[in-house]
Amino acid sequence: GESVGLHLPTLSVQEGDNSIINCAYSNSASDYFIWYKQESGKGPQFIIDIRSNMDKRQGQRVTVLLNKTVKHLSLQIAATQPGDSAVYFCAEISDTGRRALTFGSGTRLQVQP
Amino acid sequence: NAGVTQTPKFRILKIGQSMTLQCTQDMNHNYMYWYRQDPGMGLKLIYYSVGAGITDKGEVPNGYNVSRSTTEDFPLRLELAAPSQTSVYFCASGRTEAFFGQGTRLTVV
């Protein structure tokens, strides 16, 4: 769900450490779950997606985990770099009901050098 | 590749004025979206379209209208602008891997 009126939570990590960003989603009928990265002053940028029939997917330095039992999605970033500093949003889309890409609340990642 | 192009980048409107935010994509995507993003907040879906001639309301459609006469274009119309519509507006196209425009920063005074 969305935290209306609340500002984004912040995750602060040291450069080189692994980062884990979490997201709770609400629609159990969603077909895809997606992570986006938004840098300051720019539009969101696609990172990685996962189908609802999978529980893990890996990309370059990123891994997405899906736990449908508790409706939880996470993004793991390995060896976090200063360029990873941004706001990260999870999103979901379904082929039924509202067939639109719907964003959850975001998390600001700050990478300390 | 142009991707998703939004115009204008910035605009100041007076209360009660109207304007159209333009959005064009050259990727032949059926899905297109309009979002608004208030400072420090997430993206709220205003309207979306799953193909030419088809539009539907999102979470916050009041005060806005859209049309989708072609695959490429998805303009957003603001009628009778209000201060509550001060925000950054993003257009996007694509289904799961959506591509976003650079945004339109709108201030209503």
Side-chain angles (χ1 to χ4, degrees):
Chain A
E2 188 174 340
S3 299
V4 177
L6 297 178
H7 287 272
L8 302 171
T10 299
L11 174 66
S12 187
V13 301
Q14 291 293 125
E15 182 178 356
D17 286 352
N18 296 334
S19 303
I20 300 176
I21 301 170
N22 296 303
C23 175
Y25 65 89
S26 55
N27 185 3
S28 57
S30 291
D31 299 291
Y32 274 90
F33 300 90
I34 311 103
W35 282 100
Y36 282 83
K37 172 186 181 183
Q38 187 177 29
E39 296 174 306
S40 181
K42 296 183 179 180
Q45 185 177 19
F46 172 89
I47 301 173
I48 190 169
D49 63 5
I50 186 169
R51 290 186 65 167
S52 59
N53 61 356
M54 301 171 65
D55 53 21
K56 181 178 179 179
R57 189 172 185 211
Q58 288 185 293
Q60 187 176 11
R61 276 202 311 120
V62 295
T63 300
V64 56
L65 299 178
L66 176 63
N67 185 331
K68 293 183 288 294
T69 302
V70 295
K71 296 183 183 177
H72 184 266
L73 188 68
S74 69
L75 177 71
Q76 300 178 1
I77 304 174
T80 313
Q81 302 168 358
D84 295 327
S85 294
V87 177
Y88 290 80
F89 292 97
C90 62
E92 54 190 298
I93 190 166
S94 171
D95 274 336
T96 59
R98 178 180 289 162
R99 295 181 293 160
L101 192 60
T102 304
F103 283 77
S105 54
T107 298
R108 184 178 305 279
L109 178 66
Q110 290 182 339
V111 182
Q112 307 296 332
Chain B
N1 285 342
V4 178
T5 302
Q6 282 184 244
T7 56
K9 287 188 171 56
F10 303 93
R11 184 72 186 268
I12 298 174
L13 277 182
K14 293 184 178 179
I15 294 171
Q17 286 185 320
S18 300
M19 76 166 293
T20 299
L21 281 67
Q22 301 291 344
C23 177
T24 299
Q25 54 100 0
D26 62 359
M27 296 170 283
N28 202 34
H29 288 154
N30 285 322
Y31 283 70
M32 294 189 75
Y33 313 94
W34 275 105
Y35 298 91
R36 60 175 287 173
Q37 185 175 35
D38 297 334
M41 304 294 282
L43 292 100
K44 296 181 184 178
L45 181 67
I46 306 172
Y47 270 94
Y48 69 102
S49 169
V50 298
I54 306 169
T55 62
D56 210 343
K57 295 178 180 179
E59 304 163 88
V60 290
N62 291 345
Y64 307 95
N65 271 303
V66 293
S67 60
R68 186 89 184 274
S69 56
T70 67
T71 300
E72 295 78 19
D73 300 309
F74 191 39
L76 177 71
R77 178 80 178 165
L78 277 73
E79 303 282 2
L80 300 175
S84 61
Q85 293 178 304
T86 294
S87 192
V88 178
Y89 291 82
F90 287 103
C91 176
S93 75
R95 186 168 176 265
T96 55
E97 185 175 351
F99 294 82
F100 282 76
Q102 287 298 301
T104 296
R105 189 174 297 274
L106 176 67
T107 302
V108 182
V109 295

